Amino acid sequence: MRVKMILALTATLGMLSALHAQENKVYFNVDQGDQTISKHIYGHFSEHLGHCIYGGFWVGEDSPIPNTRGIRNDVVKALKDISIPNLRWPGGCFADEYHWMDGIGPRSERPKMVNTHWGGVVEDNSFGTHEFLDLCEQLSCEPYICGNVGSGSVEEMSKWVEYITFDGESPMANLRKKNGREKPWKVKFWGVGNENWGCGGNMNADYYSDLYRRYATYCRNYGDNRLYKIAGGPNVDDYYWTETLMKKVGGQMQGLSLHYYTVPGTWSKKGSATQFDEQEYFTTIGKAFHMGELVAKHSTIMDKYDPQKRIALIPDEWGTWFDVEPGTNPGFLFQQNTMRDAIVAGLTLNMFNNHCDRVKMANIAQTINVLQAVILTKDEKIVLTPTYWVYYLYKNHQDATLIPVKFNANKIKYQGGEMDAISVSASRNAEGKINITLVNIDPNKAQSIAGVLNGVNAKKVSGKILSSSKVSNYNTFETPNAVTVKEFNGAKVNGGQLSVSLPAGSIVQLEIQ
Ligand code: AHR
């Protein structure tokens, strides 16, 4: 009898400790934090590549698809609903072979070119500077223009800035007026080249640094327009590039870009966007987590030269990169988008939020029909991908104050290592509302969170969730709402205690008051 009781007690204690081990402990220092999560972390990227611009944003004025001056109304509405803060254009690799003067004036007279990087298709330049800036005005977002260093001249870049921003009598301002735009536009974000270690000229860091200084000198601030100049930054873990630019360019740039893509396989066999097993899922997520290490290490180098953090680290190309969908043009980079992509987006945006002292802007690649797109289009049809819904869930972080978070997460073991089962970030807005975004990376198990809210007496919690029965699920043109956001009732708050049960493979947003 006694032995039986002891055995039963031991079993119960064992279960309790197992349960305890399953709980993720998260501390939110709600009354602390002085860093702003710049809204520009939630930026997007649009290149003349595949059907991002043509068919994605632009259908032309004569299209039966509802549009405003050639720009799709459904796309504008969808992007406004996630409060898109900025849009990068015209590339990517395309930027360093783009000559902006080919894209102004009457469309029928614009010269055509071959888009050598992306499918060798004919680019008719019908979407140019005026169309892009009209798009940004329709979206109420800031333009981020990337100038051509690789094959363009200093004069060409300098004149582009003058054409867009000079208010008064000048050759370029007069040309702009002749082309129908009397008043200049405001443009803040200005990229001086793209991937200049690769498609943007195959330069070395020293040579590009010198070139950057020369190009940037002639990108003038006209009137009260102030350019925020962004240098072409390192590829992945090229720390020498960062060190060189910090040393040689320093305060002549306001931002340094960083490019890193999540590729589960190799560049020649990346893996399917929709057909993947559990091992490939974890490999993908593990590689997405690598962004955290990259941001931390590049930031450490930047800290050495810029301890006051005046120069931003800007991952202006990031996201998943899989094999193209079978039967589509390999040069168009069209891929589907599953819950796995949403989880990559959720944990990456949490990492950017948590590094907002240095990361002040980021751009997922790319907005429509290319790589990790938030929108897919087919003629008049539109699909909002799971990644779109992550931006919808995270939009309250924009320009809010980062709440410092510390946590002990359960670990997931997989072939290749170990990773946290959850990802978290939190912020406080101007009215004092707390916004928390949580990702359960585990595709099989729910994760419970025991949260401690230091410095607040919380009374109310409401939530939204993005989840699906499988992490490989996605939306199609036939079933556009298969994966979408729903109300979430799995969180409870009481004073300083928060408990959440996160379903397997899900992303949750909580608002606490
Ligand atoms: O986003 C696709 C391409 O990836 C971009 O054009 C280039 O900058 C990067 O290599």
Side-chain angles (χ1 to χ4, degrees):
M1 181 69 177
R2 190 177 230 177
V3 175
K4 265 192 183 164
M5 269 175 68
I6 291 170
L7 282 177
L9 192 63
T10 317
T12 315
L13 283 175
M15 271 164 60
L16 280 178
S17 76
L19 269 181
H20 187 69
Q22 279 166 16
E23 222 173 39
N24 299 275
K25 198 93 183 158
V26 186
Y27 299 89
F28 300 89
N29 291 325
V30 180
D31 50 352
Q32 291 175 24
D34 53 7
Q35 297 293 325
T36 301
I37 299 174
S38 168
K39 65 178 178 181
H40 292 295
I41 285 177
Y42 292 85
H44 293 263
F45 170 36
S46 55
E47 179 164 12
H48 287 239
L49 194 179
H51 291 297
C52 183
I53 299 292
Y54 299 109
F57 282 107
W58 178 257
V59 286
E61 283 151 348
D62 301 330
S63 169
I65 299 170
N67 69 83
T68 303
R69 296 182 292 281
I71 295 162
R72 288 181 78 126
N73 294 343
D74 51 359
V75 161
V76 168
K77 180 184 179 311
L79 292 174
K80 286 185 86 160
D81 287 347
I82 54 171
S83 307
I84 177 175
N86 71 72
L87 186 61
R88 181 173 183 251
W89 174 84
C93 295
F94 182 78
D96 279 283
E97 59 181 350
Y98 180 62
H99 300 286
W100 68 271
M101 282 207 178
D102 294 346
I104 55 171
R107 278 187 212 114
S108 58
E109 292 169 23
R110 296 184 191 174
K112 295 184 172 50
M113 68 181 278
V114 179
N115 192 334
T116 52
H117 278 293
W118 307 121
V121 293
V122 173
E123 162 66 57
D124 70 1
N125 279 304
S126 49
F127 189 90
T129 302
H130 289 247
E131 290 78 11
F132 173 66
L133 291 167
D134 185 17
L135 168 63
C136 291
E137 283 180 345
Q138 290 189 36
L139 291 170
S140 309
C141 80
E142 300 238 21
Y144 169 13
I145 292 181
C146 185
N148 180 346
V149 171
S151 70
S153 66
V154 177
E155 181 187 3
E156 183 183 10
M157 194 185 291
S158 168
K159 283 182 168 168
W160 202 5
V161 175
E162 181 190 327
Y163 183 90
I164 295 170
T165 62
F166 187 72
D167 192 5
E169 190 71 21
S170 88
M172 289 303 109
N174 292 349
L175 184 59
R176 181 192 70 232
K177 289 175 200 167
K178 189 170 146 244
N179 288 332
R181 174 80 184 198
E182 186 60 31
K183 283 278 145 209
W185 291 276
K186 287 258 183 276
V187 173
K188 179 175 170 186
F189 301 116
W190 194 270
V192 182
N194 169 74
E195 295 196 351
N196 303 92
W197 40 262
C199 65
N202 283 308
M203 304 173 198
N204 64 44
D206 289 271
Y207 180 70
Y208 172 69
S209 300
D210 293 343
L211 223 48
Y212 172 92
R213 292 166 72 101
R214 185 160 162 246
Y215 277 73
T217 303
Y218 299 95
C219 294
R220 308 285 190 197
N221 288 323
Y222 292 112
D224 60 358
N225 192 68
R226 289 284 165 276
L227 293 175
Y228 182 102
K229 294 174 204 163
I230 300 165
N235 181 27
V236 190
D237 55 358
D238 185 350
Y239 300 116
Y240 178 77
W241 188 280
T242 298
E243 181 100 40
T244 308
L245 265 87
M246 290 305 292
K247 210 187 294 175
K248 294 187 77 173
V249 174
Q252 289 187 44
M253 61 185 171
Q254 281 72 54
L256 178 68
S257 79
L258 163 66
H259 287 186
Y260 173 63
Y261 285 97
T262 297
V263 182
T266 60
W267 280 103
S268 54
K269 203 170 180 331
K270 301 175 201 75
S272 158
T274 55
Q275 311 293 311
F276 53 89
D277 59 17
E278 200 164 290
Q279 174 57 31
E280 204 169 331
Y281 168 78
F282 284 124
T283 306
T284 312
I285 303 301
K287 290 193 172 182
F289 266 123
H290 185 51
M291 179 65 98
E293 183 183 328
L294 294 172
V295 166
K297 289 189 172 165
H298 285 291
S299 298
T300 305
I301 297 169
M302 295 174 81
D303 286 348
K304 201 161 84 182
Y305 297 91
D306 174 35
Q308 283 161 325
K309 299 186 198 290
R310 293 205 176 99
I311 303 169
L313 181 64
I314 301 180
D316 59 12
E317 282 189 33
W318 68 272
T320 55
W321 193 325
F322 303 120
D323 292 332
V324 296
E325 286 305 308
T328 64
N329 187 329
F332 283 10
L333 310 187
F334 176 77
Q335 63 190 44
Q336 248 297 355
N337 193 290
T338 66
M339 267 305 292
R340 173 177 62 166
D341 294 80
I343 287 167
V344 168
L347 69 91
T348 305
L349 291 168
N350 279 341
M351 291 191 287
F352 291 160
N353 287 347
N354 290 326
H355 281 288
C356 69
D357 58 335
R358 185 62 83 178
V359 176
K360 311 240 180 244
M361 180 166 173
N363 302 76
I364 189 169
Q366 300 191 4
T367 324
I368 311 177
N369 296 328
V370 172
L371 299 178
Q372 193 176 348
V374 293
I375 296 174
L376 305 177
T377 63
K378 189 158 118 202
D379 304 323
E380 78 294 348
K381 291 189 184 148
I382 179 170
V383 158
L384 306 177
T385 66
T387 300
Y388 173 92
W389 291 112
V390 174
Y391 278 80
Y392 179 83
L393 290 177
Y394 279 53
K395 66 181 176 178
N396 292 346
H397 283 309
Q398 293 193 18
D399 282 343
T401 304
L402 178 76
I403 292 175
V405 173
K406 293 246 176 306
F407 60 90
N408 298 320
N410 289 331
K411 301 286 182 227
I412 300 174
K413 287 199 169 42
Y414 70 109
Q415 202 187 330
E418 187 179 81
M419 67 175 78
D420 284 349
I422 59 159
S423 150
V424 189
S425 75
S427 63
R428 193 176 58 241
N429 73 6
E431 292 101 58
K433 284 185 189 157
I434 303 162
N435 180 41
I436 299 175
T437 47
L438 298 153
V439 183
N440 179 3
I441 286 149
D442 196 321
N444 303 313
K445 270 195 280 175
Q447 292 286 331
S448 44
I449 312 263
V452 177
L453 302 165
N454 289 322
V456 73
N457 184 14
K459 297 194 174 59
K460 218 168 93 185
V461 59
S462 59
K464 292 196 172 54
I465 183 166
L466 182 70
S467 67
S468 195
S469 54
K470 285 194 279 176
V471 285
S472 57
N473 284 351
Y474 55 96
N475 293 330
T476 66
F477 293 102
E478 291 69 43
T479 54
N481 299 316
V483 184
T484 191
V485 164
K486 302 202 172 74
E487 292 301 309
F488 176 68
N489 300 312
K492 290 194 177 37
V493 76
N494 183 8
Q497 303 298 317
L498 169 72
S499 64
V500 192
S501 175
L502 284 179
S506 67
I507 298 157
V508 163
Q509 178 252 335
L510 300 175
E511 185 179 289
I512 297 175
Q513 295 180 58

